[in-house]
Amino acid sequence: MPKLTIDGIEIEVEPGTSLLQACEAAGKEIPRFCYHERLSIAGNCRMCLIEVEGGPPKPVASCAMPAADKMVVHTDTPMVRKAREGVMEFLLANHPLDCPICDQGGECDLQDQAMGYGVSGSRYFENKRAVEDKNMGPLIKTVMTRCIHCTRCVRFTTEIAGVSELGATGRGEDMEITTYLEQAVLSELSGNVIDLCPVGALTSKPYAFSARPWELTKTESIDVMDAVGSNIRVDARGAEVMRILPVTNDDVNEEWISDKTRFIWDGLKRQRLDTPYIREGGKLRPASWAQALSLAAQKIKAAPPAAMAAIAGDLACAESMMALKDLWDRLGSPHLDCRQDGAKLGAASRGDYLFNSTFAGIEQADALLLIGCNPRREAAVLNARIVQRARAGHFSAASIGAPMDVNFPCQNLGAGPRTLQDLLDGRHPFAATLQAAKRPMLIVGMGALARADGAAILAAAKKLARNVGAISTEWNGFNMLHNAAARVAGLDLGLLPGAGGLDVAGMLEGAKSGAISLVYLLGADELDLSQTGKAFVIYQGHHGDAGAHRADLVLPGAAYTEKSGTYVNSEGRVQIGARAGFPPGEAREDWTILRALSESAGHKLPYDSLAALRARMIEAAPHFRHVGAVQAATPGAPAAAGSMGDAAFVSAIRDFYLTNPIARASSIMAECSALAARHSLSLNQKDQAQ
């Protein structure tokens, strides 16, 4: 362990630590532009200069110099200060004076460091250079004259996102950062370059000229666009969400978020349900809450328990699902389900439906098998972890399902269950690769389980995991990758059919035949609601999507940014999102709607506050008390579950950008979807031409 002295402070660091990291460990602030702790070392901005005794008689770039034993380092000598002033003067020589009209103003690294480490005037009187702006698509606004060539964006797209979409052309003053072939950046993580850019060269195009950072109220919350549970910050002005940014959590999303998470905010103000509606004469008319709750209670009292069904959607918070389950239990109906895609998952063993290795555990795996899932589409941030693991080497990856581009080397073994059976029987060569791995990992997606033989596929996958050593006392590499933010909490709280109860497919069939006369949809929109027949449909949600269009009664709820809600991600990590604003109009938080409905229906729920409801959740599932932590679970033994069919696995997500009601209300997501469709069509045409 090297020991060195930094400004008179003796410190011991890990071997391989850079001087910049050592200085920060000693509490010294080192300015930088190109250096980023999650990217490779570039060493091209020279802002992090320090002085090393006994070294060369000039300042040293601390980001690129490893710490060595007995080094004596100075971070604030006259030589260091003059060197940093010189570097800043060069950086500003060609930088335009755009601060008053630059979107980065107020949170710009160059602006901050020029104040701290620059000089008060300029000696540069020549014409400044000008660079043509690049078209990087609908999400990233470019003013490339401001670019200081830190190359953070280039390194991010290559090393984290796994796509080579950005690069540099030219040399010296003629150097430019550009996209290849002048095309839009198509990565699902492209918006992260906005956060990485230390100047105003890359900014958010949808957010441009909307607000200044000091005008915004900042609230830390949890994302619900997928089941990763990315930590986010919601910036709002009044009741309007203006932008969404990542919050660092090394165990979950590091400091990245997907483009859907980042740019979904405009969908929060379109197609909103802001008052109750009752269908009369085939048309929905506005109503008061008293009228709406009275009608709902009347219909609930009129229907026998066996004729009532409830379905929880993909964006529901744990509080609303707990209230729905308690209400349905009081009503005596067994027809309750949170798996609107029909995934064959049970709650007998929690390890059967969790990402057991945790997201951070991907770094320890040395072999990976994807079964019916595409992590790039279903969990883009998680896919970035796999990309980084693959780049580190000594890692083999393969998939069963449709061919896909996941941005890391991944061999396609086959299309469906036959290949899985071959691996189970040891007939496929990749079975030996898994067997030889020290920490093999399997990731099973909803594309494999949301089908009639899903239970048999789950049993086969568990058996394969045990055979190859993916489930042992030292390592649990059997993982389930969910698409729905609500799914794990729903399974934890028991939102599954009771004795004699119907699943989602059975409910729709019952509604079509007349056996089910009342269907309660808690934000459930990803269904074929034309199958509900003449059943009375109550829809509780926040957007006028498929559920509201079919509903006979609409109860307006709150979106995820408008309530304090608990969510459980694929790992089983319990997280609480805070309210950043209030729901529009007469809309209310979901659990309060169910509490009021229970009283109107004569089955009053026993909690009147959020704290009491959360105590009930802990009673139902004790791990809810451990907020922010993962409680380890072990998959159950493979159970007999019938035979697997021959049909190929299909993707659980058809369009990454339009997976839920908020996304479908977003004009930004619609533009991204259209761009991705055009790109896919272009690639298909090229393949056919060849």
Side-chain angles (χ1 to χ4, degrees), residues 162-163 188 374-377 383 402-408 410 683:
V163 294
E188 294 80 10
N374 181 345
R376 181 177 176 183
R377 297 285 184 266
N383 193 69
M404 57 190 175
D405 180 8
V406 285
N407 299 344
F408 57 87
C410 185
L683 291 179

Side-chain angles (χ1 to χ4, degrees), residues 275-278 284-288 291:
T275 191
Y277 288 91
I278 295 174
L284 291 172
R285 66 161 180 88
S288 67
Q291 292 172 324

Side-chain angles (χ1 to χ4, degrees), residues 38-40 151-168 177-180 185-190 192-193 196 256 376 383-392 405-409:
R38 300 190 194 277
L39 304 176
S40 60
T151 68
R152 282 185 179 183
C153 55
V154 176
R155 285 175 284 147
F156 170 81
T157 55
T158 303
E159 299 168 10
I160 307 296
V163 294
S164 297
E165 293 188 326
L166 290 176
I177 302 297
T178 182
T179 57
Y180 294 113
V185 179
L186 295 169
S187 167
E188 294 80 10
L189 298 169
S190 66
N192 290 288
V193 301
L196 288 172
W256 321 120
R376 181 177 176 183
N383 193 69
R385 284 191 185 267
I386 304 176
V387 169
Q388 293 173 79
R389 176 61 190 89
R391 286 176 59 84
D405 180 8
V406 285
N407 299 344
F408 57 87

Side-chain angles (χ1 to χ4, degrees), residues 33-57:
F33 291 114
C34 68
Y35 174 80
H36 192 279
E37 54 270 19
R38 300 190 194 277
L39 304 176
S40 60
I41 302 297
N44 54 11
C45 80
R46 319 309 286 179
M47 195 64 206
C48 62
L49 296 174
I50 59 173
E51 183 180 350
V52 179
E53 282 189 16

Side-chain angles (χ1 to χ4, degrees), residues 41 89 105-106 125 234 323 332 492 683:
I41 302 297
E89 193 172 9
F125 298 105
V234 181
D492 284 346
L683 291 179

